[in-house]
Short mmCIF file of all heavy atoms in Angstrom, two decimals:
data_model
loop_
_atom_site.label_atom_id
_atom_site.label_comp_id
_atom_site.label_asym_id
_atom_site.label_seq_id
_atom_site.Cartn_x
_atom_site.Cartn_y
_atom_site.Cartn_z
N ALA V 34 0.38 15.89 -25.55
CA ALA V 34 -0.77 15.64 -24.57
C ALA V 34 -0.94 16.77 -23.65
O ALA V 34 -0.95 16.69 -22.38
CB ALA V 34 -0.37 14.37 -23.82
N ALA V 35 -1.10 17.97 -24.19
CA ALA V 35 -1.37 19.20 -23.33
C ALA V 35 -2.49 19.01 -22.40
O ALA V 35 -2.41 19.52 -21.25
CB ALA V 35 -1.47 20.46 -24.14
N LYS V 36 -3.62 18.47 -22.88
CA LYS V 36 -4.72 18.41 -22.00
C LYS V 36 -4.53 17.32 -20.91
O LYS V 36 -4.88 17.66 -19.77
CB LYS V 36 -5.96 17.86 -22.76
CG LYS V 36 -7.26 17.96 -22.10
CD LYS V 36 -8.42 17.85 -23.04
CE LYS V 36 -9.65 18.16 -22.28
NZ LYS V 36 -10.73 18.61 -23.14
N ASP V 37 -3.86 16.33 -21.09
CA ASP V 37 -3.45 15.34 -20.07
C ASP V 37 -2.61 16.01 -18.90
O ASP V 37 -2.76 15.87 -17.80
CB ASP V 37 -2.73 14.18 -20.58
CG ASP V 37 -3.59 13.23 -21.44
OD1 ASP V 37 -4.84 13.40 -21.34
OD2 ASP V 37 -3.02 12.50 -22.26
N ASP V 38 -1.64 16.91 -19.37
CA ASP V 38 -0.77 17.76 -18.52
C ASP V 38 -1.65 18.59 -17.67
O ASP V 38 -1.39 18.64 -16.44
CB ASP V 38 0.15 18.45 -19.53
CG ASP V 38 1.15 19.21 -18.66
OD1 ASP V 38 1.18 19.27 -17.37
OD2 ASP V 38 2.04 19.93 -19.35
N GLU V 39 -2.52 19.27 -18.14
CA GLU V 39 -3.38 20.18 -17.41
C GLU V 39 -4.31 19.45 -16.44
O GLU V 39 -4.43 19.89 -15.26
CB GLU V 39 -4.24 20.97 -18.34
CG GLU V 39 -3.50 22.07 -19.07
CD GLU V 39 -2.76 23.08 -18.18
OE1 GLU V 39 -3.35 23.43 -17.27
OE2 GLU V 39 -1.55 23.32 -18.50
N VAL V 40 -4.91 18.21 -16.79
CA VAL V 40 -5.63 17.46 -15.92
C VAL V 40 -4.81 16.98 -14.76
O VAL V 40 -5.20 17.04 -13.58
CB VAL V 40 -6.29 16.27 -16.72
CG1 VAL V 40 -6.98 15.29 -15.73
CG2 VAL V 40 -7.34 16.76 -17.73
N PHE V 41 -3.60 16.62 -14.97
CA PHE V 41 -2.80 16.11 -13.93
C PHE V 41 -2.49 17.28 -12.97
O PHE V 41 -2.49 17.03 -11.76
CB PHE V 41 -1.42 15.61 -14.53
CG PHE V 41 -0.41 15.21 -13.56
CD1 PHE V 41 -0.45 13.98 -12.95
CD2 PHE V 41 0.70 15.98 -13.28
CE1 PHE V 41 0.41 13.57 -11.95
CE2 PHE V 41 1.70 15.63 -12.42
CZ PHE V 41 1.53 14.44 -11.71
N LYS V 42 -2.13 18.41 -13.52
CA LYS V 42 -1.84 19.63 -12.54
C LYS V 42 -3.04 19.95 -11.78
O LYS V 42 -2.94 20.26 -10.63
CB LYS V 42 -1.40 20.76 -13.51
CG LYS V 42 -0.12 20.65 -14.10
CD LYS V 42 0.29 21.83 -14.99
CE LYS V 42 1.48 21.71 -15.68
NZ LYS V 42 1.82 22.90 -16.53
N GLN V 43 -4.21 19.92 -12.38
CA GLN V 43 -5.39 20.21 -11.64
C GLN V 43 -5.74 19.17 -10.50
O GLN V 43 -6.16 19.60 -9.49
CB GLN V 43 -6.67 20.35 -12.59
CG GLN V 43 -7.92 20.73 -11.94
CD GLN V 43 -7.80 22.08 -11.31
OE1 GLN V 43 -7.39 23.07 -12.03
NE2 GLN V 43 -8.22 22.25 -10.16
N ALA V 44 -5.48 17.92 -10.85
CA ALA V 44 -5.75 16.89 -9.85
C ALA V 44 -4.77 17.07 -8.68
O ALA V 44 -5.20 16.90 -7.53
CB ALA V 44 -5.45 15.60 -10.41
N VAL V 45 -3.50 17.37 -8.90
CA VAL V 45 -2.60 17.69 -7.69
C VAL V 45 -3.05 18.81 -6.98
O VAL V 45 -3.04 18.77 -5.73
CB VAL V 45 -1.11 17.83 -8.28
CG1 VAL V 45 -0.26 18.31 -7.17
CG2 VAL V 45 -0.61 16.56 -8.96
N SER V 46 -3.47 19.90 -7.64
CA SER V 46 -3.93 21.03 -6.98
C SER V 46 -5.14 20.77 -6.16
O SER V 46 -5.27 21.19 -4.99
CB SER V 46 -4.31 22.12 -7.97
OG SER V 46 -4.78 23.30 -7.35
N ASP V 47 -6.10 20.00 -6.58
CA ASP V 47 -7.29 19.59 -5.90
C ASP V 47 -6.90 18.70 -4.64
O ASP V 47 -7.50 19.01 -3.65
CB ASP V 47 -8.33 18.82 -6.77
CG ASP V 47 -8.94 19.66 -7.81
OD1 ASP V 47 -8.91 20.92 -7.68
OD2 ASP V 47 -9.57 19.04 -8.67
N LEU V 48 -6.04 17.91 -4.76
CA LEU V 48 -5.50 17.09 -3.67
C LEU V 48 -4.90 18.02 -2.61
O LEU V 48 -5.21 17.74 -1.36
CB LEU V 48 -4.55 16.02 -4.07
CG LEU V 48 -5.13 14.82 -4.73
CD1 LEU V 48 -4.08 13.93 -5.29
CD2 LEU V 48 -6.04 13.89 -3.81
N ASN V 49 -4.10 18.90 -3.03
CA ASN V 49 -3.45 19.81 -2.06
C ASN V 49 -4.45 20.60 -1.26
O ASN V 49 -4.27 21.00 -0.10
CB ASN V 49 -2.37 20.63 -2.75
CG ASN V 49 -1.11 19.86 -2.89
OD1 ASN V 49 -0.81 18.98 -2.16
ND2 ASN V 49 -0.44 20.17 -3.98
N LEU V 50 -5.55 21.02 -1.89
CA LEU V 50 -6.53 21.83 -1.21
C LEU V 50 -7.57 21.02 -0.38
O LEU V 50 -8.28 21.74 0.46
CB LEU V 50 -7.33 22.53 -2.30
CG LEU V 50 -6.55 23.56 -3.20
CD1 LEU V 50 -7.40 24.18 -4.29
CD2 LEU V 50 -6.07 24.71 -2.22
N ASN V 51 -7.53 19.68 -0.42
CA ASN V 51 -8.47 18.89 0.22
C ASN V 51 -7.87 18.42 1.59
O ASN V 51 -7.06 17.41 1.54
CB ASN V 51 -8.94 17.75 -0.50
CG ASN V 51 -10.12 16.96 0.00
OD1 ASN V 51 -10.34 16.94 1.31
ND2 ASN V 51 -10.81 16.37 -0.76
N ASP V 52 -8.20 19.04 2.81
CA ASP V 52 -7.61 18.68 4.05
C ASP V 52 -8.12 17.28 4.54
O ASP V 52 -7.68 16.72 5.42
CB ASP V 52 -7.86 19.69 5.09
CG ASP V 52 -7.15 20.89 4.74
OD1 ASP V 52 -6.05 20.91 4.24
OD2 ASP V 52 -7.66 22.12 5.24
#
Side-chain angles (χ1 to χ4, degrees):
K36 189 164 193 154
D37 294 339
D38 183 356
E39 290 302 315
V40 169
F41 177 78
K42 289 177 183 178
Q43 186 62 47
V45 170
S46 176
D47 289 349
L48 284 171
N49 280 329
L50 293 174
N51 189 332
D52 291 334

